[in-house]
Amino acid sequence: MKKIITIALVLVVSISMVFADDVFDSFKADLKANEAKGFAESLEGYKPSNPQSMGMGGAGLAINDGLDSLFYNPSILGQGKVRFSIPSATVTVNHIYDLLKKGEDGTSALDKVQTAVKEGLTENISDLIPVVSSLIGTGKSKIASAEASVGMLANVFGLAMNVNDTVRSFDGTVFDDLKISAVMGFGFGIGSDDVRLNLGFTGKLNVNAFSKRISVSDAMSFNEDTINQLPFAIGYGIPFDAGVTFKFHSLKATATLSDINLFGLGEYKYDMILVEDVKERLNTIDAISGEATKIRENSVYQFTPKMKLNAGIAFDTESSTGIKLAVDVVDILSIPDALDAGYSTKGVILGHTKIGAEFSLLNFLKVRGGLNSGYFTLGGSVNLGFITIDAAYFWEELGVVAGEKGLDGLSLRFNIGWDN
């Protein structure tokens, strides 16, 4: 983990590092071949893990007003709120269902791990490889993630920074995906507390670093030499987001455009590099040279995310003991392509729809539930004053249509902050 973070920090200091060599040819081929599959989320910028939204079926675009909203709904900046997060930490573990479900032999993956521990088989790591492979061999893209963020909203101005590390899987292989994202934006609002129009605009500096895919056995027998010789793709992009929210008493409607590629800044330019090369560069003058702001034309790999249009409506009583109802339709611009590809209209529409509710039972306790692309989710939060704890068990659709490739996860967040 520390070595991967080091790689990303070096990139911030020196963007212009190219090590074009035959050793990276297969890595580049993998990126191109799996651009819409295993590496899709790695190639794009950071998207926050928000247990509040996850518990509500992934919905809440119009009503979620935490600092996470800076990363996907800039119109929060028109609300005139003041908020600090110092910091927020989130851990998400996927494949809970796969871990607990019984196989044909009547045992689960968890049972097999527990048996291996009791019998002392874990001394030989190879004994656990079949168990681990059975969990991640489905190619569902995520195993676990951890992230931390800090930020602030000050009336019409906001800024935040997030670091997220995710272990991903694809076709029986694994790779690590590190993202560092800094966002800054401005907004304004027109109207009263009952009838109001909020507008916002943000720019983000997203730095991505992820490793080449390796087999499960290699991942479980990592050593210093393996890490040093492991190729990484390191790149950055500066996408922009815009959002608008209209409020009429307890009703709210929101629309956002994300990953806007202004002046080509939203394009990610990736270099291929070895960990040992990073270590060498840390001790040279090159790491702090004037090349830090130069964008090369001979980058090894380039990727431009498609712009996304999201929309949401919500009912929010804005009461400490009230109710929130939300419906979102996400990535609307990709729906025609899915229909043209022959997917059913019902499956495509359901796959892009999120529905959720939040009930405030007490001033400090909330429960949540929803449907995320047809999958049930649930969650809740406890507000202890300066500390808020959010939890969610959720399913999300990683395929094109509802029911194609669902993945579950358990997410837990601790947030130290203040909200007006």
Side-chain angles (χ1 to χ4, degrees):
M1 174 67 180
K2 292 181 180 179
K3 293 180 176 63
I4 302 174
I5 293 177
T6 299
I7 295 173
L9 293 177
V10 171
L11 176 65
V12 175
V13 177
S14 178
I15 290 296
S16 323
M17 297 189 297
V18 177
F19 294 85
D21 193 87
D22 292 341
V23 69
F24 299 115
D25 287 347
S26 62
F27 193 8
K28 183 178 178 181
D30 281 349
L31 292 179
K32 186 64 178 178
N34 303 313
E35 193 172 275
K37 297 179 181 178
F39 285 112
E41 289 187 339
S42 299
L43 288 164
E44 296 191 356
Y46 161 76
K47 300 295 186 297
S49 300
N50 185 338
Q52 178 186 4
S53 178
M54 295 173 185
M56 295 177 61
L61 186 67
I63 54 177
N64 289 342
D65 57 3
L67 283 168
D68 281 344
S69 296
L70 282 174
F71 291 94
Y72 58 80
N73 181 15
S75 64
I76 184 181
L77 294 169
Q79 296 184 146
K81 282 184 170 289
V82 177
R83 175 168 293 169
F84 296 92
S85 179
I86 50 173
S88 170
T90 307
V91 176
T92 301
V93 178
N94 299 103
H95 294 280
I96 303 298
Y97 175 77
D98 293 330
L99 182 67
L100 299 178
K101 71 178 180 181
K102 302 293 184 180
E104 295 181 357
D105 59 358
T107 62
S108 66
L110 179 61
D111 294 333
K112 294 174 182 177
V113 171
Q114 291 175 333
T115 299
V117 172
K118 290 179 181 179
E119 297 178 357
L121 298 180
T122 51
E123 294 180 2
N124 184 358
I125 198 69
S126 62
D127 293 322
L128 289 178
I129 290 178
V131 179
V132 176
S133 298
S134 69
L135 283 175
I136 68 174
T138 54
K140 290 181 179 178
S141 183
K142 297 178 184 178
I143 300 174
S145 66
E147 66 181 63
S149 63
V150 295
M152 61 167 286
L153 297 178
N155 206 345
V156 298
F157 172 75
L159 59 88
M161 181 174 181
N162 187 288
V163 178
N164 176 286
D165 188 69
T166 301
V167 179
R168 300 183 181 274
S169 64
F170 182 64
D171 282 355
T173 60
V174 295
F175 62 100
D176 194 85
D177 172 17
L178 175 74
K179 299 184 186 299
I180 299 176
S181 182
V183 59
M184 181 174 67
F186 299 88
F188 65 93
I190 304 172
S192 65
D193 289 340
D194 292 329
V195 181
R196 189 175 181 86
L197 180 68
N198 298 327
L199 302 171
F201 183 81
T202 56
K204 291 177 284 192
L205 170 61
N206 290 333
V207 178
N208 301 338
F210 53 94
S211 68
K212 180 179 173 59
R213 297 191 331 234
I214 60 176
S215 67
V216 175
S217 58
D218 287 341
M220 297 181 69
S221 58
F222 247 23
N223 54 49
E224 189 72 16
D225 291 337
T226 304
I227 295 175
N228 287 341
Q229 294 298 321
L230 185 63
F232 281 84
I234 307 177
Y236 77 102
I238 308 177
F240 298 87
D241 295 350
V244 55
T245 296
F246 177 71
K247 176 187 177 184
F248 182 77
H249 298 282
S250 296
L251 297 176
K252 297 179 181 179
T254 293
T256 65
L257 275 177
S258 61
D259 291 328
I260 303 171
N261 183 17
L262 293 180
F263 313 114
L265 295 174
E267 181 181 54
Y268 290 80
K269 301 177 184 296
Y270 286 100
D271 298 332
M272 306 296 180
I273 190 169
L274 292 176
V275 174
E276 61 183 5
D277 293 326
V278 175
K279 291 180 178 179
E280 293 176 3
R281 290 257 167 171
L282 280 173
N283 298 317
T284 67
I285 191 71
D286 293 339
I288 53 175
S289 69
E291 297 293 306
T293 58
K294 181 181 178 181
I295 300 176
R296 297 178 324 282
E297 296 180 356
N298 63 333
S299 293
V300 175
Y301 189 77
Q302 298 182 1
F303 174 76
T304 303
K306 293 182 179 179
M307 186 170 61
K308 298 176 181 62
L309 171 63
N310 304 314
I313 57 174
F315 173 82
D316 185 2
T317 60
E318 297 185 335
S319 169
S320 59
T321 57
I323 182 175
K324 295 181 180 180
L325 303 173
V327 178
D328 293 354
V329 181
V330 301
D331 200 7
I332 297 172
L333 298 179
S334 70
I335 291 178
D337 291 337
L339 295 175
D340 290 342
Y343 291 99
S344 70
T345 301
K346 179 180 178 181
V348 171
I349 298 301
L350 183 59
H352 288 255
T353 302
K354 324 289 183 180
I355 303 172
E358 177 184 273
F359 302 90
S360 298
L361 301 181
L362 301 168
N363 289 337
F364 64 91
L365 180 64
K366 298 177 181 179
V367 295
R368 304 172 181 128
L371 286 174
N372 189 349
S373 301
Y375 299 99
F376 285 104
T377 68
L378 56 90
S381 70
V382 177
N383 189 334
L384 303 178
F386 205 60
I387 300 176
T388 302
I389 303 173
D390 289 276
Y393 177 73
F394 62 93
W395 284 78
E396 58 183 328
E397 180 54 64
L398 302 179
V400 178
V401 296
E404 181 180 7
K405 189 165 64 174
L407 176 66
D408 69 325
L410 179 65
S411 184
L412 186 65
R413 166 177 290 180
F414 294 88
N415 181 60
I416 302 175
W418 178 80
D419 178 17
N420 72 336

